[in-house]
Amino acid sequence: MPLDWIMLRADDVKALLAGRGLRNPRVIGWAGAGKDFPVAAEIAVDLPEVTDLTAGDLAGLDREVSVLVGLDVVVVPQRPGERDLLPVERVRYL
């Protein structure tokens, strides 16, 4: 199961993300629910108050984490406090 693959490398993933200033990683979506689907797993992370990470940086991070755990992973950045909002209150950053 893909969640098991991510959990086996959890310390390595946390260290990689922390090195970019990203905290509180958590598996969300289908993988977080323990489902096995042929799409990328999602790891939500908290962004610092101020960051200079670009979309390109995040795409590169997706690739690094994917290589590390051996399956496709998408890193989903969240601004501080954003995860406390209800889905209808969320703001989409374009």
Side-chain angles (χ1 to χ4, degrees):
M1 177 175 281
L3 181 58
D4 294 337
W5 298 335
I6 293 171
M7 299 313 290
L8 287 173
R9 302 300 304 261
D11 290 337
D12 297 328
V13 171
K14 288 177 186 177
L16 177 64
L17 295 171
R20 305 297 197 298
L22 304 172
R23 288 178 264 181
N24 193 24
R26 54 221 175 263
V27 179
I28 61 171
W30 65 268
K35 305 292 183 193
D36 190 10
F37 290 97
V39 295
E42 298 171 310
I43 298 177
V45 294
D46 293 340
L47 288 172
E49 289 287 334
V50 177
T51 184
D52 59 356
L53 288 173
T54 66
D57 295 334
L58 291 171
L61 192 55
D62 291 348
R63 288 188 297 275
E64 287 183 64
V65 175
S66 295
V67 168
L68 186 63
V69 300
L71 67 127
D72 289 335
V73 173
V74 175
V75 176
V76 180
Q78 293 185 327
R79 301 226 177 255
E82 184 177 15
R83 72 182 187 158
D84 298 329
L85 297 174
L86 296 172
V88 294
E89 298 176 315
R90 293 183 192 263
V91 176
R92 291 204 170 146
Y93 299 97
L94 303 176

